[in-house]
Amino acid sequence: EVARCAQELERLQPNLKAGDELSGAMREAAGAAQNVVNERAGIEDVRRRFEEVRGARKDRFMECFQAVREEINGVYKRLTAGAALDGGSAYLDLEDLEDPFKGGVKFTAMPPAKRFSDVALLSGGEKTLAAMALLFAIQAFQRPPFLVLDEVDANLDSTNVKALARYVAQSECQMIVVSLQDTFFSRSEGLVGVTKHKQAETSVIFTVDLQQFRRPAPAAPSPLPAAPSPQPLGAAPIAAFAASPAASPAASLAASAA
């Protein structure tokens, strides 16, 4: 019997450390379950923070978009206003109101005496004015220290160049303008030019203050009145009253009667 039991045990080969291994496996399973709970909590925290950032992004975008949309029509009207025609109209619209970042921004404009159309269908000069109106509208929402305009008048005719120069001159923002048209840069406060020095064979930079040519000339001092010549007693000084700007005709007549 003992021999049979020994053979049976040898055949079965029981693991006497199975209990310890089971306890270790149960501890590992409990730790894994706790890790799953922690990771799910971390995922929920990341999702919550993502939604907060997404909401803040949308709020800031809509704040800027609303301000620019209210500003752009007036800016475009001022840029396109002429002597004979009133200014045009420009509008911004969102393609997706629920999630603006899933769609684009539709920019439509109506130049003077023309129909509404997408900005992509406008001519070169009309596109330039529409783009400048958008730039100035954004600048009105968040003012930069200065703007740099690099030959933005290249596709504009003389009338539109004058309108753009007039708007830039009246703007409250400092601007550095690169232009080849005297109609534009003559409205600036100062010029910075680059030319070639033929003798030295090098480039020379010069500056001109245009404000000095716009300052009114100092008024000439008024001449001192001449000393009155002696007159006979009893004669009234009629010429003195007539030459005085403050004297009225009645005063002159009264002096003549005296």
Side-chain angles (χ1 to χ4, degrees), residues 82-105:
L85 298 174
D86 295 333
S89 302
Y91 298 96
L92 296 177
D93 297 289
L94 293 175
E95 295 181 353
D96 192 337
L97 296 177
E98 297 297 329
D99 191 352
F101 300 100
K102 288 185 178 180
V105 177

Side-chain angles (χ1 to χ4, degrees), residues 132 136 139 145-149 167-169 171-177 184 188:
M132 295 306 301
F136 292 140
Q139 176 262 336
F146 63 91
L147 291 177
V148 179
L149 306 180
Y167 186 93
V168 170
S171 177
E172 298 179 357
C173 179
Q174 299 182 90
M175 297 190 188
I176 300 175
V177 179
F184 200 168
S188 63

Side-chain angles (χ1 to χ4, degrees), residues 19-37:
D20 296 338
E21 293 178 357
L22 178 60
S23 299
M26 293 179 64
R27 287 193 299 269
E28 292 179 1
Q34 185 62 38
N35 290 337
V36 169
V37 173

